[in-house]
Amino acid sequence: MKIALNEIWNFLNLPDTKEKDWNYALQAGEAVVEQITTETMLSLKKDENYDTELLPSIFTFREILWQPDVFNEGRMILPSLRILQAHCDEATVKLEEERGQSNMIYAHLLRGLGKCSGKAVADLDKDEVDVKKVLGSFRIGAFPIVKFFVYHPMNRCDYFMEAVNRLNYAVKIMLTQFYSRYTELNDPCWVVSFKRASSTPKKLLKEAKEQ
């Protein structure tokens, strides 16, 4: 079943979700993180090592993700896209070196954001490119990843409020200036499953195979 991004914390308060047979996956557009344990989920909510500067560094200060259509040529936005891609790649490596299950989730998402930037750069190198279409597709791809970090429970309140305002503005710009449709904006969500290990004794399994 699918659970909305912020509703997962109420779900985790259910007593039986502490059992090891629960499994979670984070779906943020094309970036999907699978095989997340309940323990990791609970640690996300109170991740004391979460870098509160991460949100402004990948979104709030990155005007390429929310500013209006002010570009007429692809070469004008290439530097911003390449800088964002490089920043995501660098942050991904750092998180992977620090290890930790929460960091692996963040790293996977940042890698996905870097890929969105890289794809936009590649598309802008093509002949007769539609800059608005490329930038619109880039923002649609980045939207669910950005939204995950915007609503991370360990964000600073001031950073969160500023990012929410920027995100709402970004949505308005995507719909009015970049050919986007509201149905194209996919919210990140959790895919939750429960699979209890078989309790059949090994002896019975052996007998069943021999019959």
Side-chain angles (χ1 to χ4, degrees):
M1 60 180 170
K2 288 187 178 182
I3 298 180
L5 188 66
N6 287 336
E7 292 178 4
I8 193 66
W9 312 121
N10 291 328
F11 178 81
L12 287 170
N13 288 329
L14 297 175
D16 64 346
T17 58
K18 305 301 186 295
E19 295 185 18
K20 64 179 181 179
D21 300 301
W22 287 99
N23 187 63
Y24 304 84
L26 174 60
Q27 184 174 332
E30 294 186 2
V32 179
V33 187
E34 298 180 317
Q35 302 298 318
I36 304 175
T37 64
T38 301
E39 181 181 9
T40 299
M41 292 296 299
L42 292 170
S43 68
L44 280 174
K45 189 176 183 180
K46 297 181 179 180
D47 184 3
E48 296 180 354
N49 295 318
Y50 176 72
D51 182 4
T52 56
E53 298 300 321
L54 183 58
L55 176 59
S57 73
I58 65 169
F59 177 61
T60 314
F61 298 157
R62 303 293 176 181
E63 295 182 351
I64 192 66
L65 280 163
W66 52 262
Q67 66 183 351
D69 176 23
V70 295
F71 303 111
N72 296 318
E73 299 179 13
R75 61 181 177 82
M76 297 175 64
I77 60 177
L78 281 173
S80 296
L81 288 169
R82 285 174 174 149
I83 290 172
L84 178 58
Q85 181 182 11
H87 176 76
C88 288
D89 291 344
E90 182 179 343
T92 297
V93 171
K94 180 180 178 181
L95 287 166
E96 289 176 339
E97 289 177 347
E98 292 175 353
R99 300 184 177 279
Q101 292 302 312
S102 297
N103 283 347
M104 293 302 102
I105 294 175
Y106 307 147
H108 189 89
L109 295 177
L110 289 179
R111 187 180 296 108
L113 183 57
K115 287 181 179 179
C116 286
S117 304
K119 183 179 184 304
V121 170
D123 289 341
L124 288 171
D125 283 337
K126 298 178 182 178
D127 296 331
E128 300 181 2
V129 66
D130 186 331
V131 177
K132 281 189 175 182
K133 188 174 182 180
V134 171
L135 193 52
S137 297
F138 160 68
R139 293 186 180 187
I140 288 173
F143 176 80
I145 298 174
V146 167
K147 191 166 185 178
F148 170 86
F149 287 107
V150 170
Y151 285 93
H152 193 289
M154 294 301 288
N155 279 323
R156 282 176 40 174
C157 290
D158 54 339
Y159 285 2
F160 167 73
M161 293 303 300
E162 185 176 8
V164 167
N165 291 333
R166 288 277 189 265
L167 189 64
N168 290 336
Y169 184 64
V171 171
K172 177 182 177 181
I173 294 301
M174 282 189 280
L175 298 179
T176 58
Q177 298 186 14
F178 288 104
Y179 311 132
S180 303
R181 296 188 298 272
Y182 190 77
T183 53
E184 294 179 296
L185 301 178
N186 296 316
D187 284 337
C189 66
W190 301 97
V191 181
V192 183
S193 59
F194 183 83
K195 185 178 181 181
R196 186 180 293 281
S198 174
S199 59
T200 306
K202 292 184 179 180
K203 182 177 179 181
L204 292 180
L205 286 174
K206 182 178 179 181
E207 290 177 353
K209 290 179 180 180
E210 292 175 348
Q211 290 179 356

